[in-house]
Amino acid sequence: MIVANRKSLSEILDMVKDCNKILVAGCKGCVTVCNVGGLKEVQVLASCLKIARKKDGGKPLEVEEILLERQCDPEYIEQVKDTVGNYDAVVSMACGVGPQFLSEAYPNQKFYPAVNTTFFGGAVAHGIWEERCAGCGTCIIHYFDGLCPIARCSKSLMNGPCGGSSHGKCEIAEDLDCIWDMIVKKKMAQGRLDDLRYLTPAKDWRTARDGGPRRSIREELTK
Amino acid sequence: MSEDFEPKILAFCCKYCAYAAADLAGSMRLSYPPNVKVIQIPCTGRIDIVHILKAIEDGADGVYVAGCMEGDCHFVSGNLRARKRVEYVKKTLTELGIEPERVEIYNLSSAMGPRFAEIAHEMTDRIRKLGPTPVKTRTV
Ligand code: SF4
């Protein structure tokens, strides 16, 4: 899933400082799963914003809440068609896709992001998420037995490990596993260490963000 | 701070401990401040961040959650989860420039009637010292 973190309350409060009435829009997709922009988080943010504005008798803020199925599909964006104009601004708790789809659909409204979208990953324990994929556009993890050196090596080395690998940890942080250490150990355990004699050539990054904004077209699905 | 400030305090009490302790305090004829309004909950693990925030938003001067002793939760770990949520609210209040001491979590057993009364006094004194909530509701 896409993992995100909520922005600080002061940052969000600054975005809406001139507003009297806003809509906080959550998303039932990834941000619900990573507990950042689902139903509960929408309620919490709405309450925090109201508390902040009521504090010391400040200008009250009217906050309405909505939870969309997804904010990355036009049919769900359409759910707010009739009401989106009722607010001074809309704060989206979806990943960075949400406020953009909303902005494109409703050019007269202002949309603000309440979260920082951080990575593609999963929950390794309750409340802890880790990065697993960098979305490079050409998956190569079959060479590394299911472990991705692009997303998980700090230097995205294709032929690691580097000299900084120590006792299974990466040199950038004591609590970060060196993915190359894990790759090598797994190859040894499976008796396939020889695989690593192959020198992986430099990656063609054009399929990644380096090639510009990406688009995926599936002819069999288009109308 | 005005002398006649009477804090409005909400106490979310687990029915297996704090709520039963309140009952016991009553049977023991122990008095505790009328400022504390008790709400029975099935377990402190039922308390969500938003419940505490809503109370603050609606003008409570103080809110506390009272659950079983650590290790004694009827549902194993509800009180430990509640503690983390209370900590989260404390942090949030700090971010909003509101005294985090307005929110607290206590642990006691159903046999601790006197402790229930003591906590109610403790919290009322604390909030009296802090003064009225800076969150102004129109209905007050
Ligand atoms: S120590 Fe391991 S994970 Fe860290 S940069 Fe070097 S090879 Fe990559």
Side-chain angles (χ1 to χ4, degrees):
Chain A
M1 83 191 95
I2 292 177
V3 179
N5 287 314
R6 204 197 66 206
K7 286 178 175 286
S8 72
L9 290 172
S10 53
E11 192 176 352
I12 302 170
L13 279 164
D14 190 54
M15 292 176 195
V16 300
K17 64 177 184 297
D18 297 323
C19 301
N20 297 316
K21 186 177 181 189
I22 62 164
L23 176 69
V24 175
C27 173
K28 286 191 198 169
C30 306
V31 289
T32 285
V33 187
C34 71
N35 301 70
V36 165
L39 179 66
K40 269 192 188 177
E41 295 76 28
V42 166
Q43 291 172 340
V44 167
L45 178 62
S47 186
C48 287
L49 298 178
K50 284 187 274 183
I51 290 173
R53 289 281 286 262
K54 277 184 186 173
K55 197 185 136 229
D56 303 323
K59 186 170 63 167
L61 181 66
E62 213 183 310
V63 184
E64 285 183 15
E65 302 163 18
I66 194 168
L67 187 63
L68 298 180
E69 280 309 309
R70 281 198 294 280
Q71 292 189 23
C72 53
D73 268 319
E75 50 266 55
Y76 300 119
I77 294 291
E78 240 184 69
Q79 289 175 348
V80 292
K81 181 171 67 176
D82 299 328
T83 49
V84 73
N86 300 346
Y87 309 96
D88 297 327
V90 177
V91 174
S92 166
M93 297 201 84
C95 73
V97 177
Q100 299 195 52
F101 263 55
L102 285 161
S103 293
E104 288 163 34
Y106 308 110
N108 296 327
Q109 183 54 287
K110 295 185 281 296
F111 295 95
Y112 302 132
V115 310
N116 293 320
T117 307
T118 45
F119 54 79
F120 307 144
V124 290
H126 217 74
I128 304 173
W129 291 267
E130 279 183 4
E131 183 162 16
R132 286 293 183 268
C133 177
C136 72
T138 323
C139 191
I140 48 156
I141 61 178
H142 47 301
Y143 297 124
F144 309 108
D145 299 323
L147 302 169
C148 178
I150 305 294
R152 299 174 68 187
C153 166
S154 306
K155 297 169 188 159
S156 293
L157 293 179
M158 303 284 286
N159 299 283
C162 74
S165 181
S166 167
H167 302 294
K169 298 293 171 194
C170 172
E171 64 180 344
I172 73 149
E174 278 171 8
D175 60 350
L176 182 69
D177 290 327
C178 166
I179 194 63
W180 269 103
D181 186 86
M182 287 167 73
I183 293 169
V184 170
K185 282 191 180 134
K186 192 164 178 191
K187 291 278 187 199
M188 285 166 76
Q190 295 190 353
R192 298 195 287 128
L193 195 57
D194 268 359
D195 289 359
L196 295 179
R197 287 188 191 280
Y198 175 73
L199 219 57
T200 309
K203 189 173 168 64
D204 180 350
W205 289 100
R206 281 174 300 182
T207 56
R209 256 293 303 163
D210 309 53
R214 291 165 282 177
R215 174 181 241 195
S216 180
I217 301 175
R218 294 265 305 274
E219 285 300 346
E220 78 279 20
L221 297 174
T222 56
K223 279 189 190 152
Chain B
M1 185 190 324
S2 89
E3 279 293 296
D4 46 45
F5 162 57
E6 285 301 339
K8 290 192 293 287
I9 300 171
L10 215 58
F12 290 107
C13 296
C14 160
K15 75 178 221 184
Y16 292 98
C17 52
Y19 196 83
D23 246 0
L24 181 60
S27 312
M28 292 171 77
R29 300 281 183 269
L30 296 171
S31 70
Y32 62 88
N35 306 70
V36 175
K37 312 287 180 227
V38 175
I39 296 179
Q40 192 201 62
I41 47 172
C43 170
T44 49
R46 176 67 188 86
I47 284 300
D48 200 79
I49 290 158
V50 79
H51 297 136
I52 306 174
L53 286 174
K54 281 277 173 207
I56 298 286
E57 182 191 324
D58 289 342
D61 297 300
V63 182
Y64 66 92
V65 178
C68 304
M69 304 298 286
E70 294 196 358
D72 285 346
C73 172
H74 196 78
F75 300 99
V76 185
S77 56
N79 52 357
L80 304 178
R81 285 163 194 254
R83 179 167 294 279
K84 290 201 166 183
R85 293 173 193 155
V86 168
E87 292 304 330
Y88 181 97
V89 175
K90 279 175 175 279
K91 259 194 254 157
T92 302
L93 292 185
T94 309
E95 219 184 324
L96 294 171
I98 297 170
E99 305 90 340
E101 299 83 9
R102 291 187 183 278
V103 172
E104 201 49 83
I105 180 156
Y106 292 98
N107 300 96
L108 72 171
S109 80
S110 57
M112 294 162 84
R115 177 67 184 137
F116 178 87
E118 191 180 288
I119 288 169
H121 280 289
E122 198 178 300
M123 203 57 193
T124 309
D125 289 348
R126 182 196 286 193
I127 303 297
R128 220 185 272 285
K129 281 199 194 96
L130 286 173
T133 173
V135 179
K136 304 281 177 260
T137 51
R138 268 173 268 176
T139 48
V140 179

